[in-house]
PDB file of all heavy atoms in Angstrom:
ATOM      1  N   VAL A1096       1.993   6.630  -5.523  1.00  0.00           N
ATOM      2  CA  VAL A1096       1.249   7.813  -5.070  1.00  0.00           C
ATOM      3  C   VAL A1096       0.769   8.635  -6.261  1.00  0.00           C
ATOM      4  O   VAL A1096      -0.373   9.122  -6.284  1.00  0.00           O
ATOM      5  CB  VAL A1096       2.128   8.678  -4.131  1.00  0.00           C
ATOM      6  CG1 VAL A1096       1.470  10.038  -3.865  1.00  0.00           C
ATOM      7  CG2 VAL A1096       2.379   7.954  -2.821  1.00  0.00           C
ATOM      8  N   SER A1097       1.625   8.774  -7.275  1.00  0.00           N
ATOM      9  CA  SER A1097       1.249   9.562  -8.457  1.00  0.00           C
ATOM     10  C   SER A1097       0.123   8.904  -9.252  1.00  0.00           C
ATOM     11  O   SER A1097      -0.546   9.561 -10.049  1.00  0.00           O
ATOM     12  CB  SER A1097       2.466   9.775  -9.361  1.00  0.00           C
ATOM     13  OG  SER A1097       2.913   8.542  -9.917  1.00  0.00           O
ATOM     14  N   GLN A1098      -0.085   7.609  -9.028  1.00  0.00           N
ATOM     15  CA  GLN A1098      -1.154   6.896  -9.727  1.00  0.00           C
ATOM     16  C   GLN A1098      -2.291   6.493  -8.786  1.00  0.00           C
ATOM     17  O   GLN A1098      -3.040   5.545  -9.056  1.00  0.00           O
ATOM     18  CB  GLN A1098      -0.590   5.648 -10.422  1.00  0.00           C
ATOM     19  CG  GLN A1098       0.448   5.977 -11.482  1.00  0.00           C
ATOM     20  CD  GLN A1098       1.024   4.747 -12.144  1.00  0.00           C
ATOM     21  OE1 GLN A1098       0.465   4.209 -13.099  1.00  0.00           O
ATOM     22  NE2 GLN A1098       2.158   4.285 -11.635  1.00  0.00           N
ATOM     23  N   ALA A1099      -2.444   7.261  -7.703  1.00  0.00           N
ATOM     24  CA  ALA A1099      -3.514   6.981  -6.739  1.00  0.00           C
ATOM     25  C   ALA A1099      -4.884   7.061  -7.405  1.00  0.00           C
ATOM     26  O   ALA A1099      -5.790   6.275  -7.095  1.00  0.00           O
ATOM     27  CB  ALA A1099      -3.429   7.955  -5.561  1.00  0.00           C
ATOM     28  N   GLY A1100      -5.042   7.997  -8.336  1.00  0.00           N
ATOM     29  CA  GLY A1100      -6.309   8.121  -9.055  1.00  0.00           C
ATOM     30  C   GLY A1100      -6.626   6.871  -9.849  1.00  0.00           C
ATOM     31  O   GLY A1100      -7.791   6.432  -9.909  1.00  0.00           O
ATOM     32  N   THR A1101      -5.607   6.284 -10.459  1.00  0.00           N
ATOM     33  CA  THR A1101      -5.804   5.038 -11.213  1.00  0.00           C
ATOM     34  C   THR A1101      -6.242   3.910 -10.287  1.00  0.00           C
ATOM     35  O   THR A1101      -7.147   3.129 -10.621  1.00  0.00           O
ATOM     36  CB  THR A1101      -4.492   4.641 -11.926  1.00  0.00           C
ATOM     37  OG1 THR A1101      -4.120   5.678 -12.838  1.00  0.00           O
ATOM     38  CG2 THR A1101      -4.662   3.337 -12.685  1.00  0.00           C
ATOM     39  N   ILE A1102      -5.606   3.813  -9.126  1.00  0.00           N
ATOM     40  CA  ILE A1102      -5.966   2.768  -8.163  1.00  0.00           C
ATOM     41  C   ILE A1102      -7.425   2.917  -7.731  1.00  0.00           C
ATOM     42  O   ILE A1102      -8.166   1.924  -7.649  1.00  0.00           O
ATOM     43  CB  ILE A1102      -5.021   2.820  -6.944  1.00  0.00           C
ATOM     44  CG1 ILE A1102      -3.569   2.524  -7.384  1.00  0.00           C
ATOM     45  CG2 ILE A1102      -5.457   1.821  -5.868  1.00  0.00           C
ATOM     46  CD1 ILE A1102      -2.531   2.747  -6.305  1.00  0.00           C
ATOM     47  N   ARG A1103      -7.859   4.170  -7.513  1.00  0.00           N
ATOM     48  CA  ARG A1103      -9.257   4.403  -7.130  1.00  0.00           C
ATOM     49  C   ARG A1103     -10.205   3.996  -8.248  1.00  0.00           C
ATOM     50  O   ARG A1103     -11.244   3.360  -7.998  1.00  0.00           O
ATOM     51  CB  ARG A1103      -9.470   5.881  -6.775  1.00  0.00           C
ATOM     52  CG  ARG A1103      -8.926   6.280  -5.404  1.00  0.00           C
ATOM     53  CD  ARG A1103      -9.467   7.627  -4.982  1.00  0.00           C
ATOM     54  NE  ARG A1103      -9.049   8.685  -5.895  1.00  0.00           N
ATOM     55  CZ  ARG A1103      -7.934   9.391  -5.759  1.00  0.00           C
ATOM     56  NH1 ARG A1103      -7.116   9.148  -4.737  1.00  0.00           N
ATOM     57  NH2 ARG A1103      -7.627  10.341  -6.619  1.00  0.00           N
ATOM     58  N   ARG A1104      -9.860   4.339  -9.497  1.00  0.00           N
ATOM     59  CA  ARG A1104     -10.731   3.991 -10.633  1.00  0.00           C
ATOM     60  C   ARG A1104     -10.831   2.480 -10.814  1.00  0.00           C
ATOM     61  O   ARG A1104     -11.899   1.954 -11.143  1.00  0.00           O
ATOM     62  CB  ARG A1104     -10.228   4.658 -11.916  1.00  0.00           C
ATOM     63  CG  ARG A1104     -10.618   6.127 -12.034  1.00  0.00           C
ATOM     64  CD  ARG A1104     -10.339   6.665 -13.422  1.00  0.00           C
ATOM     65  NE  ARG A1104      -8.918   6.704 -13.722  1.00  0.00           N
ATOM     66  CZ  ARG A1104      -8.111   7.702 -13.407  1.00  0.00           C
ATOM     67  NH1 ARG A1104      -8.594   8.754 -12.748  1.00  0.00           N
ATOM     68  NH2 ARG A1104      -6.836   7.682 -13.716  1.00  0.00           N
ATOM     69  N   ILE A1105      -9.715   1.786 -10.622  1.00  0.00           N
ATOM     70  CA  ILE A1105      -9.736   0.322 -10.735  1.00  0.00           C
ATOM     71  C   ILE A1105     -10.669  -0.266  -9.686  1.00  0.00           C
ATOM     72  O   ILE A1105     -11.456  -1.178  -9.967  1.00  0.00           O
ATOM     73  CB  ILE A1105      -8.312  -0.254 -10.585  1.00  0.00           C
ATOM     74  CG1 ILE A1105      -7.443   0.151 -11.782  1.00  0.00           C
ATOM     75  CG2 ILE A1105      -8.350  -1.770 -10.464  1.00  0.00           C
ATOM     76  CD1 ILE A1105      -5.975  -0.200 -11.629  1.00  0.00           C
ATOM     77  N   LYS A1106     -10.609   0.265  -8.471  1.00  0.00           N
ATOM     78  CA  LYS A1106     -11.483  -0.211  -7.407  1.00  0.00           C
ATOM     79  C   LYS A1106     -12.951   0.041  -7.751  1.00  0.00           C
ATOM     80  O   LYS A1106     -13.810  -0.819  -7.529  1.00  0.00           O
ATOM     81  CB  LYS A1106     -11.134   0.479  -6.091  1.00  0.00           C
ATOM     82  CG  LYS A1106      -9.843  -0.001  -5.450  1.00  0.00           C
ATOM     83  CD  LYS A1106      -9.585   0.727  -4.137  1.00  0.00           C
ATOM     84  CE  LYS A1106      -8.306   0.221  -3.468  1.00  0.00           C
ATOM     85  NZ  LYS A1106      -8.049   0.958  -2.201  1.00  0.00           N
ATOM     86  N   ILE A1107     -13.238   1.223  -8.315  1.00  0.00           N
ATOM     87  CA  ILE A1107     -14.617   1.576  -8.673  1.00  0.00           C
ATOM     88  C   ILE A1107     -15.145   0.638  -9.754  1.00  0.00           C
ATOM     89  O   ILE A1107     -16.259   0.108  -9.661  1.00  0.00           O
ATOM     90  CB  ILE A1107     -14.695   3.045  -9.151  1.00  0.00           C
ATOM     91  CG1 ILE A1107     -14.444   3.989  -7.972  1.00  0.00           C
ATOM     92  CG2 ILE A1107     -16.050   3.341  -9.789  1.00  0.00           C
ATOM     93  CD1 ILE A1107     -14.233   5.434  -8.373  1.00  0.00           C
ATOM     94  N   VAL A1108     -14.333   0.411 -10.793  1.00  0.00           N
ATOM     95  CA  VAL A1108     -14.742  -0.467 -11.891  1.00  0.00           C
ATOM     96  C   VAL A1108     -14.936  -1.894 -11.388  1.00  0.00           C
ATOM     97  O   VAL A1108     -15.921  -2.573 -11.721  1.00  0.00           O
ATOM     98  CB  VAL A1108     -13.704  -0.432 -13.034  1.00  0.00           C
ATOM     99  CG1 VAL A1108     -14.006  -1.495 -14.075  1.00  0.00           C
ATOM    100  CG2 VAL A1108     -13.679   0.946 -13.681  1.00  0.00           C
ATOM    101  N   ALA A1109     -14.000  -2.380 -10.549  1.00  0.00           N
ATOM    102  CA  ALA A1109     -14.102  -3.738 -10.012  1.00  0.00           C
ATOM    103  C   ALA A1109     -15.348  -3.878  -9.138  1.00  0.00           C
ATOM    104  O   ALA A1109     -16.062  -4.888  -9.203  1.00  0.00           O
ATOM    105  CB  ALA A1109     -12.851  -4.078  -9.212  1.00  0.00           C
ATOM    106  N   PHE A1110     -15.638  -2.853  -8.328  1.00  0.00           N
ATOM    107  CA  PHE A1110     -16.814  -2.881  -7.452  1.00  0.00           C
ATOM    108  C   PHE A1110     -18.100  -2.873  -8.270  1.00  0.00           C
ATOM    109  O   PHE A1110     -19.047  -3.602  -7.972  1.00  0.00           O
ATOM    110  CB  PHE A1110     -16.779  -1.675  -6.506  1.00  0.00           C
ATOM    111  CG  PHE A1110     -17.920  -1.640  -5.516  1.00  0.00           C
ATOM    112  CD1 PHE A1110     -17.940  -2.502  -4.437  1.00  0.00           C
ATOM    113  CD2 PHE A1110     -18.969  -0.740  -5.686  1.00  0.00           C
ATOM    114  CE1 PHE A1110     -18.985  -2.477  -3.523  1.00  0.00           C
ATOM    115  CE2 PHE A1110     -20.023  -0.710  -4.781  1.00  0.00           C
ATOM    116  CZ  PHE A1110     -20.026  -1.576  -3.695  1.00  0.00           C
ATOM    117  N   ALA A1111     -18.119  -2.052  -9.342  1.00  0.00           N
ATOM    118  CA  ALA A1111     -19.307  -1.967 -10.201  1.00  0.00           C
ATOM    119  C   ALA A1111     -19.567  -3.304 -10.892  1.00  0.00           C
ATOM    120  O   ALA A1111     -20.715  -3.760 -10.980  1.00  0.00           O
ATOM    121  CB  ALA A1111     -19.124  -0.861 -11.236  1.00  0.00           C
ATOM    122  N   ARG A1112     -18.513  -3.962 -11.373  1.00  0.00           N
ATOM    123  CA  ARG A1112     -18.675  -5.261 -12.040  1.00  0.00           C
ATOM    124  C   ARG A1112     -19.150  -6.316 -11.053  1.00  0.00           C
ATOM    125  O   ARG A1112     -19.972  -7.172 -11.390  1.00  0.00           O
ATOM    126  CB  ARG A1112     -17.344  -5.692 -12.674  1.00  0.00           C
ATOM    127  CG  ARG A1112     -16.929  -4.844 -13.860  1.00  0.00           C
ATOM    128  CD  ARG A1112     -15.722  -5.409 -14.547  1.00  0.00           C
ATOM    129  NE  ARG A1112     -16.020  -6.699 -15.155  1.00  0.00           N
ATOM    130  CZ  ARG A1112     -15.125  -7.444 -15.811  1.00  0.00           C
ATOM    131  NH1 ARG A1112     -13.886  -7.008 -15.929  1.00  0.00           N
ATOM    132  NH2 ARG A1112     -15.457  -8.595 -16.341  1.00  0.00           N
ATOM    133  N   LYS A1113     -18.646  -6.248  -9.819  1.00  0.00           N
ATOM    134  CA  LYS A1113     -19.065  -7.204  -8.789  1.00  0.00           C
ATOM    135  C   LYS A1113     -20.554  -7.048  -8.483  1.00  0.00           C
ATOM    136  O   LYS A1113     -21.288  -8.031  -8.394  1.00  0.00           O
ATOM    137  CB  LYS A1113     -18.236  -6.980  -7.528  1.00  0.00           C
ATOM    138  CG  LYS A1113     -18.502  -8.004  -6.430  1.00  0.00           C
ATOM    139  CD  LYS A1113     -17.593  -7.736  -5.237  1.00  0.00           C
ATOM    140  CE  LYS A1113     -17.867  -8.744  -4.123  1.00  0.00           C
ATOM    141  NZ  LYS A1113     -16.994  -8.483  -2.933  1.00  0.00           N
ATOM    142  N   ASN A1114     -21.015  -5.793  -8.365  1.00  0.00           N
ATOM    143  CA  ASN A1114     -22.426  -5.537  -8.088  1.00  0.00           C
ATOM    144  C   ASN A1114     -23.313  -5.952  -9.251  1.00  0.00           C
ATOM    145  O   ASN A1114     -24.422  -6.447  -9.064  1.00  0.00           O
ATOM    146  CB  ASN A1114     -22.648  -4.051  -7.782  1.00  0.00           C
ATOM    147  CG  ASN A1114     -22.154  -3.682  -6.387  1.00  0.00           C
ATOM    148  OD1 ASN A1114     -21.956  -4.556  -5.548  1.00  0.00           O
ATOM    149  ND2 ASN A1114     -21.959  -2.391  -6.147  1.00  0.00           N
ATOM    150  N   THR A1115     -22.798  -5.756 -10.487  1.00  0.00           N
ATOM    151  CA  THR A1115     -23.555  -6.146 -11.681  1.00  0.00           C
ATOM    152  C   THR A1115     -23.772  -7.651 -11.716  1.00  0.00           C
ATOM    153  O   THR A1115     -24.849  -8.137 -12.026  1.00  0.00           O
ATOM    154  CB  THR A1115     -22.812  -5.691 -12.960  1.00  0.00           C
ATOM    155  OG1 THR A1115     -22.651  -4.284 -12.916  1.00  0.00           O
ATOM    156  CG2 THR A1115     -23.598  -6.071 -14.198  1.00  0.00           C
ATOM    157  N   ARG A1116     -22.710  -8.406 -11.375  1.00  0.00           N
ATOM    158  CA  ARG A1116     -22.818  -9.863 -11.347  1.00  0.00           C
ATOM    159  C   ARG A1116     -23.810 -10.321 -10.278  1.00  0.00           C
ATOM    160  O   ARG A1116     -24.609 -11.222 -10.483  1.00  0.00           O
ATOM    161  CB  ARG A1116     -21.454 -10.501 -11.120  1.00  0.00           C
ATOM    162  CG  ARG A1116     -20.541 -10.495 -12.332  1.00  0.00           C
ATOM    163  CD  ARG A1116     -19.383 -11.458 -12.160  1.00  0.00           C
ATOM    164  NE  ARG A1116     -18.508 -11.057 -11.072  1.00  0.00           N
ATOM    165  CZ  ARG A1116     -17.446 -10.281 -11.227  1.00  0.00           C
ATOM    166  NH1 ARG A1116     -17.162  -9.793 -12.424  1.00  0.00           N
ATOM    167  NH2 ARG A1116     -16.679  -9.968 -10.209  1.00  0.00           N
ATOM    168  N   LYS A1117     -23.771  -9.654  -9.106  1.00  0.00           N
ATOM    169  CA  LYS A1117     -24.706 -10.004  -8.038  1.00  0.00           C
ATOM    170  C   LYS A1117     -26.143  -9.736  -8.469  1.00  0.00           C
ATOM    171  O   LYS A1117     -27.056 -10.524  -8.228  1.00  0.00           O
ATOM    172  CB  LYS A1117     -24.390  -9.182  -6.776  1.00  0.00           C
ATOM    173  CG  LYS A1117     -23.187  -9.698  -5.989  1.00  0.00           C
ATOM    174  CD  LYS A1117     -22.987  -8.871  -4.731  1.00  0.00           C
ATOM    175  CE  LYS A1117     -21.810  -9.411  -3.924  1.00  0.00           C
ATOM    176  NZ  LYS A1117     -21.594  -8.598  -2.694  1.00  0.00           N
ATOM    177  N   PHE A1118     -26.339  -8.564  -9.127  1.00  0.00           N
ATOM    178  CA  PHE A1118     -27.677  -8.180  -9.583  1.00  0.00           C
ATOM    179  C   PHE A1118     -28.214  -9.168 -10.621  1.00  0.00           C
ATOM    180  O   PHE A1118     -29.362  -9.574 -10.575  1.00  0.00           O
ATOM    181  CB  PHE A1118     -27.629  -6.768 -10.174  1.00  0.00           C
ATOM    182  CG  PHE A1118     -28.963  -6.293 -10.665  1.00  0.00           C
ATOM    183  CD1 PHE A1118     -29.934  -5.825  -9.787  1.00  0.00           C
ATOM    184  CD2 PHE A1118     -29.254  -6.313 -12.036  1.00  0.00           C
ATOM    185  CE1 PHE A1118     -31.166  -5.397 -10.265  1.00  0.00           C
ATOM    186  CE2 PHE A1118     -30.478  -5.890 -12.510  1.00  0.00           C
ATOM    187  CZ  PHE A1118     -31.443  -5.424 -11.612  1.00  0.00           C
ATOM    188  N   SER A1119     -27.336  -9.588 -11.555  1.00  0.00           N
ATOM    189  CA  SER A1119     -27.754 -10.505 -12.609  1.00  0.00           C
ATOM    190  C   SER A1119     -28.106 -11.887 -12.054  1.00  0.00           C
ATOM    191  O   SER A1119     -28.984 -12.574 -12.549  1.00  0.00           O
ATOM    192  CB  SER A1119     -26.663 -10.637 -13.678  1.00  0.00           C
ATOM    193  OG  SER A1119     -25.481 -11.152 -13.117  1.00  0.00           O
TER     194      SER A1119
END
Side-chain angles (χ1 to χ4, degrees):
V1096 169
S1097 66
Q1098 298 179 85
T1101 299
I1102 297 172
R1103 284 194 298 270
R1104 281 191 294 274
I1105 292 172
K1106 286 181 178 179
I1107 291 169
V1108 171
F1110 183 74
R1112 291 187 66 181
K1113 185 178 179 181
N1114 285 342
T1115 301
R1116 284 196 295 268
K1117 282 183 178 179
F1118 180 78
S1119 61

